């Protein structure tokens, strides 16, 4: 399998880390949707990261759909999404909140880096910041009630996504530092980032 995309994308990075936790071998091709657009388009004309090229040549995109496919390749005991309905429901909620945080952080980065300053709309940016804050606040409440265990066999897709979202946000949107406000998320993310699968997959 080939994973296409840059690890500075939280969506690519969460997919790469999950591949490692699932024990699935893959080749990483660090192609950018900006700098190497044409080369990326030769693999996937939509140029969406991450893209996964399966062993039979099928091209998949969207990290959530890719991870759904990868889960089918391993024994149920190895899967990163719980099978128990109640545990699965909570894991999906946490993943959704973390994905929302990723999305809103990415929107702020694109607004700053790609949109000319004279065309930026302050009410829109304020709205995105509120949504971002709400996502991390909800994660803080959840982790304070029931912590996620940051070990390779228990972190799950939801834990990976929380840590990746947190690291991406604070690397790319450092002016909004939530460390003091959300200590549970900060502590969990620091523990997760110390795991081998994370250390081997830096966000660069």
């Amino acid at each position: 399998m080939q994973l296409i995309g840059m690890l500075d994308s939280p969506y690519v990075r969460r997919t790469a880390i999950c591949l490692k936790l699932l024990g699935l071998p893959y080749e990483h091709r660090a192609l950018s949707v900006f700098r190497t657009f044409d080369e990326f388009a030769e693999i996937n004309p939509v140029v969406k990261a991450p893209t996964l090229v399966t062993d039979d040549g099928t091209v998949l995109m969207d990290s959530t759909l890719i991870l759904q496919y990868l889960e089918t390749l391993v024994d149920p005991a190895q899967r990163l999404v719980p099978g128990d309905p109640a545990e699965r429901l909570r894991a999906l909620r946490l993943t959704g909140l973390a994905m929302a945080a990723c999305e809103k952080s990415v929107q702020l980065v694109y607004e700053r880096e790609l949109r000319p300053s004279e065309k930026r709309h302050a009410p829109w940016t304020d709205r995105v910041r509120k949504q971002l804050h709400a996502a991390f606040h909800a994660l803080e409440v959840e982790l304070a009630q029931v912590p996620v265990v940051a070990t390779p066999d228990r972190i799950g897709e939801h834990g990976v996504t929380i840590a990746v979202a947190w690291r991406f946000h604070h690397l790319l949107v450092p002016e909004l530092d939530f460390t003091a406000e959300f200590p549970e998320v900060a502590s969990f993310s620091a523990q997760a980032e110390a795991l081998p699968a994370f250390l081997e997959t830096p966000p660069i």
Side-chain angles (χ1 to χ4, degrees), residues 26-90:
Y26 70 98
E27 174 191 353
H28 177 222
R29 296 186 62 184
L31 299 183
S32 168
V33 299
F34 296 106
R35 295 185 299 277
T36 54
F37 184 93
D38 291 340
E39 187 177 355
F40 204 132
E42 292 176 4
I43 300 167
N44 179 1
V46 180
V47 191
K48 180 176 174 63
T51 285
L52 183 80
V53 182
T54 67
D55 289 337
D56 69 359
T58 301
V59 175
L60 292 177
M61 62 189 120
D62 187 284
S63 63
T64 297
L65 301 181
I66 290 170
L67 290 174
Q68 286 179 7
Y69 166 70
L70 296 177
E71 290 269 301
T72 69
L73 302 181
V74 299
D75 184 86
Q78 293 178 261
R79 292 175 183 169
L80 299 176
V81 179
D84 175 80
E87 293 179 5
R88 188 181 189 90
L89 179 61
R90 181 170 191 261

Side-chain angles (χ1 to χ4, degrees), residues 100-116:
C102 285
E103 176 185 300
K104 298 307 167 184
S105 293
V106 168
Q107 287 178 347
L108 291 176
V109 172
Y110 281 8
E111 189 76 10
R112 182 186 67 220
E113 301 294 333
L114 300 178
R115 194 183 303 279

